Amino acid sequence: MAIALDPRHLALLRELSARGSITAVAAATHRTPSAISQQLRAATQDVGTALVERKGRGIQLTEAGRLMAEAAIEVDIALERARSRVEALLHSPEGTVRIAALPSAAEYLLAKTIVELADEPIDIDFQDEDVAERTFAELARNNDIVIGHSLVSPTPVGAEDLHCAVICQEPIDIALPGTHPLAKASAIRSCDLVGESWISVPVGFPFDTILQTIEQMTGNPATVTQRVRDNRVVESLVIAGVGIALLPRYTTRQRQGLALRPLADIATQRWVVALSRADRAERTVVKRVNEILQRVGQQRERA
């Protein structure tokens, strides 16, 4: 028996795989849950076997459903690649690229990228997102490019199935009050930090990984007095003597009363990366923006 494969059904199963529920797919595709359910029934009838099954109060894809969702990715990549080649033949890249970015990376990437695109028919639709490392991959569902970071590898946790392009590598330094005794040192070792009070980030955010490594190296638990997302707030707390912190070198302001020192015995750098779904990464306009982001990032590294 021949199986009917409608590309629209493949796309539906891909979205169900990525988003996990009919309600979430409906919201993302601006349709009603009943319309999604109706299409799912039609897909099941066309294929001749169950594509989803109940799991608790929700649903999950069956093996057949997972195979079709995986095939949908391959189809979407092939379509975008073909479209990209034809567009490249006919005209230069054009369109709108939706970007979600970590604020501390966007600070030195976004403005220069927009300026470089000023004479090109490319618009940037930007939103800032300060989230845990794993959430960057989730943002790729609704954005063309997600600028995230990782302290472990060039691929953030959860982004293994995404297209990942390294924009730059940025050192993470120890931030100290200017009057702190360690501010006189050219570099700091983890053992020097035992007994310090810390201004850290929420648990699950990449910088917290470094603090955990310091704890492992010294065998002493860190005393965290505050957990803060905004680096500017962290800077002010450090200057006030509330604690020391970990801050990115490229965007931490040179402020009176604030000293940055490298950590000598632990690798403290972050990979700033551009994440995209594999098919979106094939779009000519996305490739063009990624090209500029990487160039701007490399310029910042060399500065």
Side-chain angles (χ1 to χ4, degrees), residues 164-175:
C164 298
V166 174
I167 296 173
C168 65
Q169 295 181 56
E170 178 177 13
I172 308 299
D173 292 328
I174 302 294

Side-chain angles (χ1 to χ4, degrees), residues 67-122:
L67 288 173
M68 290 180 65
E70 292 169 2
I73 297 175
E74 298 174 10
V75 169
D76 287 344
I77 292 172
L79 289 172
E80 287 295 348
R81 188 171 293 152
R83 185 179 293 111
S84 176
R85 290 171 179 171
V86 174
E87 287 177 350
L89 179 67
L90 298 177
H91 54 72
S92 59
E94 61 180 40
T96 298
V97 175
R98 184 173 174 81
I99 298 178
L102 178 74
S104 63
E107 185 172 340
Y108 58 83
L109 292 171
L110 184 65
K112 289 186 176 181
T113 297
I114 291 175
V115 168
E116 286 211 28
L117 290 168
D119 296 328
E120 300 182 37
I122 298 175

Side-chain angles (χ1 to χ4, degrees), residues 136-159:
F136 288 118
E138 297 175 10
L139 292 173
R141 299 171 186 168
N142 300 318
N143 294 278
D144 299 307
I145 297 173
V146 176
I147 300 174
H149 64 171
S150 173
L151 275 76
V152 179
S153 77
T155 304
V157 175

Side-chain angles (χ1 to χ4, degrees), residues 176 180 182 189-199 211 214-215 218-225 241-244:
L176 308 151
H180 195 290
L182 291 175
R189 299 182 64 81
S190 56
C191 59
D192 299 328
L193 302 172
V194 173
E196 295 287 345
S197 295
W198 287 87
I199 312 300
L211 189 55
I214 292 172
E215 290 178 314
T218 63
N220 287 274
T223 300
V224 178
T225 61
V242 177
I244 65 173

Side-chain angles (χ1 to χ4, degrees), residues 57-299:
R57 295 183 179 180
I59 61 170
Q60 67 179 10
L61 298 184
T62 63
E63 184 175 359
R66 288 193 296 273
L67 288 173
M68 290 180 65
E70 292 169 2
I73 297 175
E74 298 174 10
V75 169
D76 287 344
I77 292 172
L79 289 172
E80 287 295 348
R81 188 171 293 152
R83 185 179 293 111
S84 176
R85 290 171 179 171
V86 174
E87 287 177 350
L89 179 67
L90 298 177
H91 54 72
S92 59
E94 61 180 40
T96 298
V97 175
R98 184 173 174 81
I99 298 178
L102 178 74
S104 63
E107 185 172 340
Y108 58 83
L109 292 171
L110 184 65
K112 289 186 176 181
T113 297
I114 291 175
V115 168
E116 286 211 28
L117 290 168
D119 296 328
E120 300 182 37
I122 298 175
D123 294 319
I124 301 297
D125 181 359
F126 171 76
Q127 62 179 357
D128 56 319
E129 294 282 359
D130 201 353
V131 297
E133 181 175 343
R134 183 176 294 276
T135 307
F136 288 118
E138 297 175 10
L139 292 173
R141 299 171 186 168
N142 300 318
N143 294 278
D144 299 307
I145 297 173
V146 176
I147 300 174
H149 64 171
S150 173
L151 275 76
V152 179
S153 77
T155 304
V157 175
E160 293 78 12
D161 294 332
L162 298 176
H163 177 274
C164 298
V166 174
I167 296 173
C168 65
Q169 295 181 56
E170 178 177 13
I172 308 299
D173 292 328
I174 302 294
L176 308 151
T179 56
H180 195 290
L182 291 175
K184 298 177 181 179
S186 58
I188 296 172
R189 299 182 64 81
S190 56
C191 59
D192 299 328
L193 302 172
V194 173
E196 295 287 345
S197 295
W198 287 87
I199 312 300
S200 190
V201 292
V203 175
F205 281 54
F207 288 6
D208 196 48
T209 305
I210 298 177
L211 189 55
Q212 292 173 15
T213 303
I214 292 172
E215 290 178 314
Q216 293 168 3
M217 288 279 289
T218 63
N220 287 274
T223 300
V224 178
T225 61
Q226 300 290 336
R227 292 190 179 272
V228 180
R229 287 182 173 87
D230 191 296
N231 288 344
R232 299 293 168 252
V233 177
V234 174
E235 291 173 15
S236 67
L237 292 171
V238 172
I239 292 171
V242 177
I244 65 173
L246 293 156
L247 286 172
R249 185 177 299 175
Y250 296 160
T251 51
T252 300
R253 297 176 183 176
Q254 299 299 314
R255 300 172 62 178
Q256 185 175 2
L258 182 68
L260 291 182
R261 297 293 181 266
L263 191 55
D265 57 343
I266 295 176
T268 55
Q269 68 170 12
R270 65 173 176 176
W271 282 269
V272 177
V273 297
L275 310 174
S276 298
R277 282 172 41 154
D279 53 313
R280 288 178 181 157
E282 292 291 339
R283 294 176 56 200
T284 54
V285 67
V286 171
K287 288 181 178 179
R288 176 58 178 155
V289 173
N290 266 331
E291 174 190 330
I292 295 174
L293 285 169
Q294 288 177 292
R295 183 163 68 244
V296 172
Q298 290 163 7
Q299 290 170 350

